């Protein structure tokens, strides 16, 4: 043969289950099934752009352009065979299918290569009615087509030394396999249930890494068994299935039993489920995990019992459009669905437990890294084991706002916890002292209890102080980027480590001396551990300032500031800008430019006299911009609240009514109302004009500062003579800035006035004008009366 091509290909290998036995029992009928099988495979392979390389009896070797079409073809074949098997119960046709992606040597009428051998072995490994494919195929098809596959892990294939991880899709055709409950080919029946991808103990030997992998495989296999069976395994069942894997298996089973994931006791005959649950003492479950899953596990057992009593054996859904693996996989037998729902709840609980454990592992790794990078790390690492200073999920946050929120929540929790602990300490210890002094006065045990409990009270007090301090400080800071937040977390850990160490030194030695003086006053053994603690604390104190200074400088350098004061000032600008509404960006820009100019002045880019005059002026300028931005924001709200549309409609309505009426009195009243509305409209338009003027002033408020900043940068590059001239220019610019500051003050004064004061003034003037004609008429009438009387 001459080699024609060598390329990467997706290979499908199919084989009919029990074909030789079928030929022996009914040769003619089997040949008819073979013709049907060949037609189905050929037609569907062509549909998915596959090329049949060759057929070997009842086996097909097909090449595809990509893995997606290869897997779709395999699923189509199983679907077509399911339709045939349902319609012809006496002519069942089961197929095993294997898929792999690999480099293949192509010849004129044949193909060779390791990829074909692996596809063939995966086909042999598959259960009847199933599709088995390699990890390489899985990586290519995931999220591209809908399917549900079981992860088999590492599989052992005949004459294949390469490590192969496999997946298997189970089709409804398995219901036609009489041996579907038996182990897959090559799995021993009497021995322990093999784990996917796990060698037997004899083959495995001892390897620490392999042992760790076995632990994970056993844990995963037991959880999968729980989901499949709809209930928890008992310890005996777990040992029967996986005990052959030695000490590792027993460790996993014991650990899962403590967590409540595996049952410790098997319910006795005639004993109710509730009695079984009551018989399990709370000590059988881990305090933080077992209680959470026990209720769910009990629901699983009750649901499974109901399902078993119902005796339902119907399939949930059908193949293809009726719920086959294209809609999430074959559902299996379901009863009324309650068992499946309970298993899902149990799976969710197990996922939450794994999430908590993952979080704890992540925090552990974070503190391990902290201990390696920070001089005080060996003391700070003890925070993880502290009851009161124990780190929480905030240590894993990368967003500063969420980090700040979690610090505030922890501070509130620490405060409430300390108050409760303190009240309990006072009340219970008073009662214990009363008992010790009056009821059992022989041995003074109450001081020991009080001193021991006091260590927790002292630690809780310092933890509360640190929690409040962290929350308060975080509230003063601007939003930190992730890299700066990482450094800030380290600073807080160093501070927490010192606080915890100080609390320990303050509370533990009194406890030791109390025990020493009460139990054995002749020998002061308590001085030995107390002295060791004091020396350790002294070493911590020596390392603390240098560590803090190094971290602080790194944080300040990263954020471009020189001190905590500058950092808090930036945080103040952030909080102030929040009250400026949509004009916050303008204020933030002005404040940022002011900070840059002040830094340049302090760095020596201006004379001391210039800085003495300039810095206060800059501060006043920024303050006026802040007040102006807040006022314009308030004016926006006032303008938005004026119902200009309603005023227009009311005025048009009144004008229409005035034109329609014939009463002069009503016309006069309508005219007054219309004039009042017109005054209100004019005042609203004037307010909008004023707002627009203030907006323009506000938007240009940063330009003057930008020009000063540019001039100071230019002055740095000038020689001494030019520098003096530039300084004079800067003084002139400062004078201009002072004038602009007066304009901002004027604008702010305008915004501070009552926006409705103009309306009231106009209304008063109108009323005064209306009263003048009336008064003139009264005077004229009086004069006429006097003239008439004189004539008479």
């Amino acid at each position: 043969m001459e080699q024609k091509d060598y390329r990467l290909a997706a290979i499908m290998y199919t084989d009919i289950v029990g074909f030789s036995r079928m030929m022996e029992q009914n040769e003619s009928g089997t040949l008819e099934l073979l013709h049907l099988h060949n037609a189905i495979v050929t037609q569907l392979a062509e549909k998915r752009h596959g090329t049949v390389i060759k057929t070997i009896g009842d086996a097909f070797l097909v090449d595809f352009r990509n893995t997606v079409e290869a897997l779709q073809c395999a699923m189509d074949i199983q679907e077509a065979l399911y339709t045939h098997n349902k319609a012809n119960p006496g002519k069942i046709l089961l197929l095993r299918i294997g898929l792999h992606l690999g480099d293949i040597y192509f010849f004129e009428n044949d193909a060779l290569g390791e990829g074909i051998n692996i596809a063939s072995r995966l086909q042999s490994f598959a259960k009847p009615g199933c599709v088995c494919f390699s990890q390489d195929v899985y990586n290519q098809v995931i999220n591209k087509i809908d399917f549900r596959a079981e992860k088999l892990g590492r599989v052992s294939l005949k004459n294949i030394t390469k490590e192969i991880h496999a997946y298997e899709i189970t089709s409804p055709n398995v219901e036609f396999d009489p041996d579907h409950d038996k182990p897959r080919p090559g799995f021993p029946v009497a021995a322990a249930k093999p784990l996917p991808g796990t060698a037997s103990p004899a083959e495995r030997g001892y390897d620490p890494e392999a042992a760790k992998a076995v632990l994970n495989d056993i844990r995963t296999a037991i959880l999968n068994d729980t989901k499949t069976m709809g209930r928890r395994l008992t310890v005996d069942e777990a040992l029967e299935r996986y005990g052959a894997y030695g000490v590792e298996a027993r460790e996993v089973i014991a650990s899962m039993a403590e967590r409540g994931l595996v049952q410790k006791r098997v319910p006795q005959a005639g004993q109710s489920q509730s009695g079984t649950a009551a018989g399990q003492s709370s000590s059988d479950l881990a305090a933080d995990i077992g209680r959470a899953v026990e209720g769910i596990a009990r629901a699983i057992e009750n649901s499974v019992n109901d399902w078993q009593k119902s005796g339902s054996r119907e399939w949930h859904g059908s193949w293809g459009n009726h719920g086959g693996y294209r809609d999430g996989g074959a559902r299996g037998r379901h009863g009324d669905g309650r068992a499946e729902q309970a298993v899902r709840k149990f799976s969710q609980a197990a996922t939450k437990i794994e999430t908590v454990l993952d979080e704890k592992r992540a925090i552990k790794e974070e503190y391990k890294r902290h201990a390696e990078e920070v001089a005080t790390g060996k003391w700070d690492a003890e925070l993880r084991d502290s009851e009161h200073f124990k780190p929480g999920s905030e240590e894993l946050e990368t967003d500063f706002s969420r980090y700040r929120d979690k610090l505030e929540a922890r501070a509130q929790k620490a405060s409430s916890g300390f108050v409760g602990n303190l009240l309990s300490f006072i009340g219970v210890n008073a009662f214990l002292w009363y008992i010790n002094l009056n009821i059992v006065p022989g041995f003074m045990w109450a001081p020991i209890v009080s001193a021991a409990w006091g260590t927790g009270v002292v630690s809780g007090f310092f933890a509360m102080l640190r929690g409040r301090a962290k929350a308060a400080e975080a509230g003063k800071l601007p939003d930190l980027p992730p890299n700066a937040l990482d450094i800030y977390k380290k600073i807080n850990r160093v501070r927490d480590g010192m606080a915890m160490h100080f609390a320990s030194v303050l509370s533990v030695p009194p406890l030791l001396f109390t025990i020493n003086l009460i139990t054995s006053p002749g020998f002061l053994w308590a001085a030995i551990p107390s002295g060791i603690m004091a020396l350790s604390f002294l070493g911590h104190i020596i390392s603390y300032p240098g560590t803090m200074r190094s971290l602080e400088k790194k944080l300040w350098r990263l954020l471009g500031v020189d001190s905590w004061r500058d950092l808090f000032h930036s945080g103040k600008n952030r909080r102030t800008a929040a009250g400026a509404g949509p004009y916050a960006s303008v204020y933030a820009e002005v404040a940022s430019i002011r900070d840059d100019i002040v830094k340049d002045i302090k760095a020596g880019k201006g004379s001391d006299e210039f800085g003495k005059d300039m810095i206060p002026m800059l501060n006043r300028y920024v303050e006026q911009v802040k007040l102006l931005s807040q006022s314009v924001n308030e004016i926006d709200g006032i303008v938005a609240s004026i119902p200009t549309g309603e005023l227009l409609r009311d005025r048009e309505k009144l004008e229409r009514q005035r034109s329609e009426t014939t009463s002069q009195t009503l016309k006069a009243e309508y005219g007054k109302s219309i004039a009042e509305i017109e005054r209100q409209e004019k005042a609203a338009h004037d307010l909008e004009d004023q707002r627009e003027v203030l907006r323009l002033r506000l938007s240009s408020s940063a330009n003057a500062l930008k020009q000063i900043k540019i001039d100071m940068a230019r002055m740095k590059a000038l020689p001494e003579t030019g520098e003096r001239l530039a300084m004079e220019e800067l003084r002139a610019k400062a004078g201009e800035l002072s004038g602009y500051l007066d304009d901002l003050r004027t604008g702010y004064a305008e915004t501070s006035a009552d926006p409705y004061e103009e309306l009231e003034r106009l209304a008063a003037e109108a009323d005064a004008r209306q009263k003048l004609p009336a008064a003139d008429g009264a005077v004229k009438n009086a004069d006429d009366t006097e003239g008439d009387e004189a004539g008479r």
Side-chain angles (χ1 to χ4, degrees):
M1 293 187 296
E2 181 181 356
Q3 179 182 336
K4 297 295 184 181
D5 194 10
Y6 176 66
R7 60 179 172 85
L8 183 69
I11 299 299
M12 180 180 73
Y13 202 102
T14 71
D15 186 64
I16 299 176
V17 178
F19 182 75
S20 299
R21 184 178 65 254
M22 294 166 60
M23 285 290 291
E24 181 180 356
Q25 295 174 353
N26 185 356
E27 183 174 334
S28 60
T30 302
L31 290 176
E32 292 179 3
L33 286 177
L34 179 61
H35 289 309
L36 173 65
H37 159 266
N38 293 347
I40 290 175
V41 175
T42 303
Q43 178 183 358
L44 294 178
E46 291 177 355
K47 177 183 176 182
R48 298 297 181 180
H49 306 98
T51 302
V52 178
I53 299 175
K54 64 178 178 179
T55 60
I56 309 172
D58 59 318
F60 266 73
L61 178 61
V62 187
D63 161 43
F64 291 89
R65 301 180 303 178
N66 54 67
T67 55
V68 172
E69 291 178 333
L71 183 58
Q72 286 177 331
C73 179
M75 294 161 62
D76 291 342
I77 291 172
Q78 294 289 10
E79 182 177 349
L81 292 180
Y82 180 73
T83 302
H84 162 77
N85 293 335
K86 290 288 287 186
N88 303 276
K91 299 180 179 180
I92 300 300
L93 186 58
L94 293 177
L95 214 64
R96 291 191 184 97
I97 302 178
L99 299 174
H100 183 60
L101 178 68
D103 291 326
I104 308 298
Y105 291 94
F106 288 89
F107 297 89
E108 292 180 353
N109 298 313
D110 203 354
L112 298 174
E114 185 184 42
I116 295 177
N117 296 335
I118 294 176
S120 173
R121 298 306 182 191
L122 288 173
Q123 172 273 131
S124 301
F125 191 80
K127 287 184 177 180
C130 298
V131 179
C132 186
F133 51 94
S134 64
Q135 180 77 51
D136 295 330
V137 174
Y138 179 83
N139 293 340
Q140 298 299 320
V141 300
I142 187 68
N143 297 328
K144 295 180 181 177
I145 56 177
D146 294 331
F147 67 93
R148 182 178 180 181
E150 177 188 0
K151 183 177 181 180
L152 303 179
R154 188 177 61 195
V155 295
S156 177
L157 304 178
K158 184 178 179 181
N159 296 330
I160 302 295
T161 58
K162 181 183 294 185
E163 183 176 300
I164 301 296
H165 290 257
Y167 294 80
E168 186 175 70
I169 295 178
T170 302
S171 76
N173 282 312
V174 297
E175 72 173 282
F176 304 109
D177 177 22
D179 300 328
H180 66 272
D181 290 330
K182 295 182 180 180
R184 65 178 67 252
F187 276 35
V189 179
K193 179 180 178 181
L195 296 171
T198 305
S200 65
E203 298 171 346
R204 187 173 69 244
Y206 180 76
D207 179 11
E209 293 299 325
K212 183 177 180 181
V214 168
L215 291 175
N216 293 331
D217 289 340
I218 294 173
R219 186 182 296 107
T220 302
I222 293 177
L223 290 177
N224 289 336
D225 288 344
T226 300
K227 296 176 185 178
T228 303
M229 299 174 64
R231 65 175 180 84
R232 292 176 299 164
L233 296 177
T234 64
V235 171
D236 294 336
E237 289 174 333
L239 289 174
E240 182 180 354
R241 289 172 178 243
Y242 305 106
Y245 289 90
V247 178
E248 297 93 342
R250 289 177 173 80
E251 289 178 357
V252 172
I253 294 170
S255 173
M256 298 184 73
E258 289 298 325
R259 296 178 180 181
L261 300 176
V262 174
Q263 269 188 304
K264 283 194 171 185
R265 297 177 57 190
V266 181
Q268 301 296 326
Q271 185 180 8
S272 66
Q273 283 298 117
S274 60
T276 301
Q280 293 180 340
S281 65
S282 60
S283 61
D284 291 337
L285 304 175
D288 56 342
I289 299 177
R291 296 191 186 106
V293 300
E294 179 61 27
I296 300 174
R298 190 181 301 115
I300 294 173
E301 294 168 0
N302 292 336
S303 300
V304 171
N305 284 341
D306 293 340
W307 165 61
Q308 291 174 341
K309 291 177 182 178
S310 67
S312 176
R313 291 296 184 270
E314 63 178 344
W315 283 88
H316 179 63
S318 59
W319 190 251
N321 295 330
H322 301 286
Y325 56 72
R326 295 183 187 276
D327 292 329
R331 301 291 184 182
R333 308 179 189 276
H334 67 95
D336 59 2
R338 288 178 293 174
E340 182 179 352
Q341 182 180 6
V343 172
R344 185 163 52 252
K345 289 181 178 179
F346 182 81
S347 176
Q348 293 172 354
T351 302
K352 290 180 180 179
I353 294 170
E354 289 296 328
T355 301
V356 172
L357 295 178
D358 290 342
E359 181 179 289
K360 291 182 177 180
R361 285 192 289 267
I363 293 176
K364 181 179 179 181
E365 291 298 324
E366 183 68 21
Y367 269 76
K368 182 179 178 181
R369 183 168 63 89
H370 175 86
E372 295 173 352
E373 297 176 356
V374 178
T376 60
K378 62 180 180 180
W379 294 290
D380 302 337
E382 297 178 3
L383 291 169
R384 291 189 298 107
D385 301 324
S386 171
E387 178 182 356
H388 301 281
F389 290 88
K390 183 182 300 182
S393 59
E394 73 277 358
E395 292 293 333
L396 304 178
E397 283 294 347
T398 56
D399 180 76
F400 187 75
S401 60
R402 292 196 299 267
Y403 178 75
R404 185 192 297 121
D405 294 340
K406 289 189 177 182
L407 286 183
E408 292 176 356
R410 280 182 64 89
Q412 294 176 359
K413 184 178 179 180
S415 298
S416 59
F418 172 73
V419 172
N421 193 16
L422 181 61
L423 294 177
S424 300
F425 174 79
I426 295 173
V428 174
N429 278 278
F431 179 68
L432 295 178
W433 276 85
Y434 174 79
I435 293 177
N436 195 180
L437 295 175
N438 296 281
I439 300 178
V440 284
F443 174 68
M444 291 299 296
W445 48 266
I448 300 177
V449 176
S450 299
W453 195 340
T455 59
V457 173
V458 172
S459 295
F461 175 71
F462 278 92
M464 178 192 68
L465 294 181
R466 278 296 303 144
R468 289 182 174 180
K470 288 191 291 186
E473 185 178 73
K476 297 178 182 178
L477 294 175
D479 290 340
L480 303 180
N483 52 352
L485 177 58
D486 186 58
I487 299 174
Y488 183 65
K489 288 178 186 177
K490 293 179 181 178
I491 292 175
N492 276 333
R493 291 175 201 145
V494 173
R495 291 171 175 171
D496 288 345
M498 174 56 71
M500 183 190 69
H501 204 168
F502 181 68
S504 178
V505 170
L506 200 64
S507 59
V508 174
L511 169 63
L512 297 177
F513 277 102
T514 299
I515 298 174
N516 190 176
L517 294 176
I518 292 177
T519 58
S520 54
F523 173 61
L524 287 178
W525 53 263
I528 300 174
S530 300
I532 295 174
M533 290 185 64
L535 290 175
S536 176
F537 185 61
L538 179 62
H540 196 168
I541 290 176
I542 294 174
S543 302
Y544 178 79
T547 302
M548 281 295 298
R549 192 63 180 169
S550 174
L551 291 174
E552 287 173 346
K553 286 184 177 180
K554 188 182 297 185
L555 177 65
W556 298 341
R557 190 183 313 114
L558 192 62
L559 298 176
V561 298
D562 298 325
S563 64
W564 285 109
R565 183 178 179 180
D566 294 341
L567 201 54
F568 293 150
H569 184 72
S570 300
K572 182 180 179 181
N573 291 341
R574 173 187 61 81
R575 295 190 299 274
T576 303
Y583 310 102
S585 59
V586 177
Y587 171 77
E589 182 183 12
V590 171
S592 176
I593 298 173
R594 185 271 314 271
D595 293 341
D596 292 340
I597 294 175
V598 171
K599 288 180 184 178
D600 290 342
I601 293 174
K602 291 182 177 180
K605 297 182 183 179
S607 65
D608 294 339
E609 183 180 355
F610 177 76
K612 182 179 180 181
D613 297 335
M614 192 66 177
I615 293 177
M617 183 184 297
L618 289 172
N619 293 335
R620 292 195 302 272
Y621 186 84
V622 173
E623 184 67 19
Q624 289 299 323
V625 172
K626 179 190 73 173
L627 295 175
L628 186 61
S629 60
Q630 293 175 347
S631 298
V632 177
N633 187 39
E634 294 174 359
I635 290 177
D636 286 345
I638 295 173
V639 171
S641 66
I642 297 176
T644 54
E646 295 180 5
L647 290 175
L648 178 61
R649 288 193 297 270
D650 291 343
R651 179 167 58 81
E652 292 175 349
K653 180 180 178 181
L654 290 173
E655 289 175 346
R656 187 171 59 253
Q657 291 175 341
R658 185 177 63 175
S659 64
E660 294 174 354
T661 185
T662 58
S663 172
Q664 295 299 323
T665 304
L666 286 177
K667 284 186 176 182
E669 292 297 327
Y670 284 143
K672 293 180 181 178
S673 299
I674 292 171
E676 179 66 25
I677 292 176
E678 288 176 346
R679 287 195 296 272
Q680 293 180 14
E681 289 178 332
K682 182 178 182 303
H685 291 312
D686 291 343
L687 189 60
E688 290 180 357
D689 293 340
Q690 181 187 10
R691 178 183 64 174
E692 188 61 28
V693 171
L694 295 177
R695 280 180 175 177
L696 292 174
R697 290 180 180 177
L698 187 62
S699 61
S700 60
S701 60
N703 294 334
L705 292 185
K706 288 180 180 179
Q707 186 59 48
I708 290 179
K709 183 179 179 182
I710 293 172
D711 291 340
M712 291 192 68
R714 182 170 56 88
M715 185 183 69
K716 182 180 179 182
L718 294 176
E720 184 176 355
T721 304
E723 184 177 348
R724 286 196 299 269
L725 296 176
M727 183 63 67
E728 294 301 326
E729 292 182 8
L730 284 178
R731 291 184 185 277
K733 290 286 175 57
E736 295 177 4
L737 183 63
S738 179
Y740 198 85
L741 180 60
D742 293 336
D743 292 340
L744 290 179
R745 287 175 179 167
T746 302
Y748 177 68
E750 293 174 358
T751 63
S752 300
D754 185 359
Y756 294 103
E757 183 177 353
E758 179 68 13
L759 297 178
E760 296 174 357
R761 185 183 64 80
L762 293 174
E765 291 178 356
D767 292 339
R769 286 194 298 269
Q770 291 178 358
K771 292 178 181 179
L772 286 177
D776 292 342
V779 171
K780 182 178 180 181
N781 290 336
D783 292 341
D784 293 342
T785 303
E786 291 177 359
D788 292 340
E789 290 178 354
R792 285 194 296 269

